[in-house]
Amino acid sequence: MTLERTLSIIKPDGISRNLIGAVIGHFERAGLRVVAARMRRLGRPEAERFYAVHHSRPFFASLVDYMTSGPVLVQVLEGEDAVRKNRELMGATDPARAAPGTIRREWGESIERNLVHGSDSLETAREEIHFFFGAIDVCDRTDP
Ligand code: CMP
């Protein structure tokens, strides 16, 4: 098993409902560490670029509206098997289908307002981390 990094976003509903600590607690209890974090209000062009892969989907405009409706917390999580672990902790995209105990099942309101985003592969994680952070923003938290 290798140490991986993945991108996590706490979406506007997670911020407005004051769930930052609850969500990060989930990650930390599972052994993931936050190695970079920044609160951002995404602009429309930025949100459109981030979700470009979905641009032809019927929900794209609404997704961009939602992701630009308030601040988000973008984070880099590090840990063994971090990409898969983060997705397991988030649960399925649709909170109604997410397993009990997952972040989306606990707090997600709908398939769109599903509280968190997480990279879906190691390659996507590299691209998504690079989208928001430079090397200087990511801290080395390996024990001395
Ligand atoms: P996320 O993991 O951030 O990736 C794409 C996002 O699009 C997803 O979470 C949801 O917020 C949203 N999404 C995916 N499928 C749908 C859908 N069928 N209807 C509305 N929003 C969706």
Side-chain angles (χ1 to χ4, degrees):
M1 217 57 89
T2 51
L3 206 60
E4 292 178 357
R5 286 176 175 171
T6 189
L7 186 88
S8 164
I9 304 178
I10 303 180
K11 299 182 178 185
D13 53 324
I15 306 298
S16 64
R17 291 161 64 203
N18 233 7
L19 291 171
I20 294 173
V23 171
I24 292 180
H26 244 72
F27 297 144
E28 291 186 336
R29 279 192 296 280
L32 295 176
R33 293 172 164 202
V34 177
V35 293
R38 179 184 295 145
M39 189 173 278
R40 292 279 315 274
R41 177 89 187 231
L42 299 182
R44 256 198 115 70
E46 194 178 20
E48 285 172 354
R49 262 195 304 124
F50 184 77
Y51 279 120
V53 68
H54 297 300
H55 82 277
S56 55
R57 309 289 290 273
F59 57 82
F60 182 69
S62 171
L63 174 62
V64 170
D65 284 346
Y66 160 54
M67 290 301 288
T68 56
S69 66
V72 298
L73 189 80
V74 287
Q75 312 156 80
V76 179
L77 304 177
E78 183 179 83
E80 297 287 334
D81 207 12
V83 174
R84 188 196 56 77
K85 201 180 266 184
N86 180 35
R87 289 183 69 80
E88 204 174 286
L89 293 167
M90 291 192 303
T93 304
D94 184 352
R97 293 172 185 273
T102 60
I103 294 167
R104 285 167 168 165
R105 177 65 174 263
E106 286 290 307
W107 297 297
E109 289 178 338
S110 67
I111 193 165
E112 179 175 270
R113 300 175 73 86
N114 61 359
L115 215 102
V116 280
H117 167 84
S119 310
D120 64 5
S121 70
L122 204 47
E123 193 187 341
T124 311
R126 283 195 199 98
E127 291 167 10
E128 292 185 346
I129 291 169
H130 184 67
F131 188 94
F132 287 109
F133 297 100
I136 199 170
D137 302 315
V138 182
C139 295
D140 183 359
R141 285 193 54 189
T142 47
D143 295 329

